Amino acid sequence: MLKVIAPIFLFSLSFPALALVPPDYQEPPSDFTAEIEAGLQLNTGNTESSSFNGRTQLIYDTKQTKQEATLKAYFASEKSKTTSEKYELQLQSNYKLTKGYIFGRGDFTWDQFGSYTQISTISSGYGFNAISSYKTKLSLEVGPGYRYNLPAESVDIPNPDAEKDVILRTAAKFSQKLQEYSSLNADLTAEMGENNNTLTLDMNYKNLVFQDWAFKIGMNIKYTEVVPEGSQQTDTITTFNLLYTFR
């Protein structure tokens, strides 16, 4: 009798719990999203090498504000000798309005082997969503800023002076959902100043392979109008990464 009563008693305890939690229950969407990726890279321009790169992005998106932080790292070595070492930090805070948003942004680059070893840009302005649908998204931003560039040392100029410039920054951020599990993203940024102008295109193709895992092919192209002597105007980085998304 005890063998019969025990299963019935356990079933009676578990039934209310099943009634409270439907079988199709899902956790409510979170305001926080994180992406971590790593893989190989191919460099052309001022740096010729192939090695490791990594990227981490944190996004906290609420009804009133959106906070975004992105950290990128590029590293390469040949025969125990470092040939490429570059770090990028991008911070942006948006305050949402009825139409559009006001943003404050900071871009910081440390590049040991680049034409500029340190680049710091602080900007603010206004942005709005020109297109916002399930498959296509396009946002535009414009605003003033300040840029600090430190050129790389050379034989002729061992201690170069930093270049300081007031700029106008414009940006377009585009995202297109190609299929259910693949998307194309492209960010185009222009910084126009009295002493120098830059144009950066950051684009990638992402394909989901398993749940939160995706394969990502990226390309970053940056054109700088005025560079130190002996440096190239265009830098290109191509990456092949495996990406994981936390939601």
Side-chain angles (χ1 to χ4, degrees), residues 20-84:
L20 292 175
V21 182
D24 59 346
Y25 172 79
Q26 294 182 357
E27 292 289 337
S30 173
D31 296 331
F32 178 77
T33 303
E35 290 184 351
I36 297 178
E37 64 180 83
L40 301 175
Q41 72 180 57
L42 300 174
N43 289 0
T44 61
N46 292 297
T47 305
E48 299 285 345
S49 63
S50 60
S51 193
F52 170 83
N53 81 93
R55 171 182 169 272
T56 300
Q57 184 181 54
L58 306 176
I59 298 177
Y60 185 67
D61 192 358
T62 65
K63 293 182 178 180
Q64 196 65 48
T65 63
K66 181 179 180 181
Q67 318 296 332
E68 184 175 345
T70 304
L71 175 63
K72 301 178 182 179
Y74 307 93
F75 179 82
S77 61
E78 295 178 1
K79 298 180 180 180
S80 301
K81 181 181 179 181
T82 302
T83 58
S84 174

Side-chain angles (χ1 to χ4, degrees), residues 181 208-214 243-245 247:
Y181 301 107
L208 188 68
V209 292
F210 178 73
Q211 291 184 350
D212 295 326
W213 291 92
L243 180 146
Y244 183 77
T245 302
R247 301 182 187 278

